[in-house]
Amino acid sequence: MRSRRGVCAPILAALSVALASANDCAPEIEACNATSCTSLSCPSTTTELSPTVGDLAGSLTYLNLASNSLTTLPDAIGALTGLTYLRLGGNSLTALPEALGSLTLLERLYVDDNSLASLPNAIGSLTALTSVRLYDNALAGLPETISGLTLLPTLDLEHNALLSLPDSLAELVQLSVLNLFHNELTELPREIGRLTGLTALDVRENAITVFPESMADLTQMQSLSWDTAEVTCGPAQVGAVSTGLSPCPSPPPSPPPSAPPAPVSGSALVGTGSSSSSGSGNGGGGGGGGSGGGKVADGLTAPANANGDQALPLKDEEVAGIAIAVAFAVLGCICMSYCLYRAWAARASIAPNPHKGSAGDAERAGAPAAEPDDDPGQSSPSEGDHERSAEETVQGDDLEGVAVHQGPEESTGDGEQSPAGGSSPMSQATEVSIEGGSRAPSPLIGPARTSPPPGPPTPPDGAPRSGAASPRPNYLPTNYVY
């Protein structure tokens, strides 16, 4: 005799298989596939949807999964590209798959009474939607892609946890009913006035205190519900609704951010400094300063104002102007220093010799410098002995036998002759005598480079010459360049 456990075991196994098949809606899917049905409703005991639902892609247009215990949806649901009606209300869904974006023909989507915390970005691809139910969820926000639902006339977001609404909501130009009852909103989008077709708006049980001024553009508004004790200011008239609100004061201008001023690059100066280690610490104005050049430019910022706030840094044009001014100032200092140095050098090099003129004087006077004498025992005439007279015969085709005489000479007590008046030979005129007549005084004709006639012996160096005129002192250095 078999035991009871042995008899009940096959029965329990059959029941578990039956229950398992009943929880994933597989029998209903198989039966629908066999008949090419267009609508499918799963029993209320369904806890998950079988991936075989994708086999109904060719015919299914209506899928009812409401009032079940679903927590997720398979990606195979994206294969139902002919679906136009999808009911998912009354489940425990926490998210929708991105594959839902493939249902481009979907017109009605009911996902109310679930636990959705967010919507997939793919919802913006459901451009054929005309009705959406998202109330009684846990949505904290909406994706920016919701702007793709341009045919949507009604959006029900009641009883969620919305903190804000995206600005893209203003792109829903066909929207006529917007239900935001019982959320956590503190403000409405500033662009809400672009929803010119809006006729009903419910913002009760939120934290909204101000209506944006753009709401005055909602000229089609017929029903506006808000907490009169919470909203303090806004447009006095919104469409056909008189709010009785006073205009909101203009907000004070926000102070500029107190960001530290950006340092000015050293390249803004006249030269660009090199980053080599040898140039660190030098100025960067001339290009060889290195990192020091950046430090110089970093200080070119506007000073702080009276409140202690750091002002904005100088502009590139201002920095360039300052750099050019500094460059010109340095150049002027260099030129002035050079001029002062040359003047000092000229004064330091003046050393007049009362006994002897310079070779430069003889050259500027037009007389050739005396050539050195090979005989050391005989004194050679110096540059200062121009007082002696010279008489030479000019040889030439037109002036044959012409004798050139210097001006009248005077005898001194020592037997030495000097020009009358003690003036230099350069300042006297010459008299030219020609056989057969005389001519008026003419300019000095330079003597030929011959040895001068012998004269009285030259006194030794340092001994004073009696009756000799003092040579003209030399006030300029011999190396002075005009």
Side-chain angles (χ1 to χ4, degrees):
M1 182 177 182
R2 293 185 300 175
S3 63
R4 293 181 179 178
R5 179 173 298 178
V7 175
C8 296
I11 298 174
L12 293 175
L15 288 175
S16 61
V17 171
L19 290 174
S21 61
N23 289 341
D24 62 358
C25 196
E28 288 78 6
I29 294 174
E30 184 178 356
C32 183
N33 191 22
T35 59
S36 299
C37 65
T38 58
S39 63
L40 173 65
S41 297
C42 293
S44 58
T45 57
T46 303
T47 57
E48 61 180 349
L49 185 61
S50 175
T52 58
V53 70
D55 298 337
L56 306 177
S59 60
L60 197 64
T61 59
Y62 174 87
L63 178 59
N64 182 10
L65 298 174
S67 302
N68 280 283
S69 300
L70 297 174
T71 55
T72 58
L73 291 177
D75 291 338
I77 198 172
L80 305 177
T81 54
L83 205 62
T84 59
Y85 197 149
L86 178 58
R87 297 186 61 184
L88 298 172
N91 283 278
S92 300
L93 296 173
T94 57
L96 296 177
E98 291 287 343
L100 201 68
S102 302
L103 308 181
T104 55
L105 299 180
L106 196 63
E107 298 177 358
R108 298 183 182 183
L109 176 61
Y110 297 161
V111 204
D112 52 287
D113 196 12
N114 277 275
S115 301
L116 296 176
S118 62
L119 295 176
N121 290 328
I123 197 172
S125 302
L126 307 179
T127 56
L129 279 178
T130 58
S131 180
V132 176
R133 293 181 183 177
L134 295 170
Y135 58 83
D136 291 334
N137 278 281
L139 295 173
L142 299 176
E144 291 286 344
T145 56
I146 201 170
S147 59
L149 310 181
T150 55
L151 300 180
L152 194 65
T154 302
L155 181 57
D156 193 346
L157 296 168
E158 177 182 333
H159 281 92
N160 276 279
L162 293 174
L163 298 173
S164 62
L165 296 174
D167 292 336
S168 60
L169 189 69
E171 303 293 334
L172 306 181
V173 294
Q174 299 294 332
L175 197 64
S176 61
V177 177
L178 179 58
N179 186 5
L180 300 173
F181 176 76
H182 194 82
N183 278 276
E184 299 179 13
L185 297 172
T186 58
E187 62 179 0
L188 293 174
R190 293 184 179 181
E191 301 295 329
I192 195 173
R194 296 171 57 186
L195 300 175
T196 55
L198 203 63
T199 59
L201 175 62
D202 191 346
V203 294
R204 292 174 298 166
E205 297 190 17
N206 281 278
I208 297 174
T209 59
V210 175
F211 280 165
E213 293 296 329
S214 62
M215 286 184 63
D217 299 332
L218 304 177
T219 57
Q220 303 297 324
M221 185 67 66
Q222 300 293 329
S223 175
L224 178 59
S225 302
W226 77 97
D227 297 325
T228 56
E230 298 291 337
V231 181
T232 58
C233 64
Q237 191 75 24
V238 181
V241 180
S242 177
T243 62
L245 299 173
S246 58
C248 298
S250 300
S254 58
S258 57
V264 182
S265 174
S267 61
L269 297 178
V270 175
T272 303
S274 172
S275 60
S276 61
S277 59
S278 61
S280 61
N282 298 330
S291 61
K295 294 180 181 178
V296 173
D298 291 347
L300 298 178
T301 55
N305 53 24
N307 298 329
D309 297 332
Q310 185 68 32
L312 296 178
L314 296 178
K315 298 180 179 179
D316 293 342
E317 296 82 0
E318 298 173 341
V319 174
I322 294 174
I324 293 173
V326 171
F328 274 107
V330 172
L331 184 60
C333 292
I334 293 174
C335 293
M336 183 177 294
S337 301
Y338 178 77
C339 294
L340 292 175
Y341 167 77
R342 292 302 301 268
W344 173 83
R347 292 180 62 87
S349 62
I350 293 175
N353 190 341
H355 306 292
K356 190 176 182 180
S358 63
D361 294 339
E363 292 176 3
R364 285 189 291 273
E371 296 179 359
D373 191 358
D374 296 333
D375 186 4
Q378 184 178 357
S379 299
S380 61
S382 64
E383 294 84 348
D385 296 333
H386 294 292
E387 297 88 352
R388 300 174 183 176
S389 60
E391 178 178 328
E392 297 176 19
T393 302
V394 179
Q395 301 295 334
D397 295 338
D398 296 331
L399 299 177
E400 182 178 0
V402 177
V404 181
H405 298 277
Q406 295 286 344
E409 298 177 349
E410 292 181 358
S411 275
T412 61
D414 297 335
E416 199 174 10
Q417 295 179 352
S418 63
S423 60
S424 173
M426 289 296 296
S427 63
Q428 299 179 10
T430 61
E431 181 177 354
V432 182
S433 299
I434 308 176
E435 294 180 1
S438 63
R439 297 176 62 180
S442 63
L444 176 65
I445 299 176
R449 301 182 64 83
T450 59
S451 300
T458 303
D461 293 339
R465 297 177 182 176
S466 60
S470 299
R472 180 172 55 88
N474 182 15
Y475 291 99
L476 292 176
T478 59
N479 60 347
Y480 189 85
V481 179
Y482 287 93

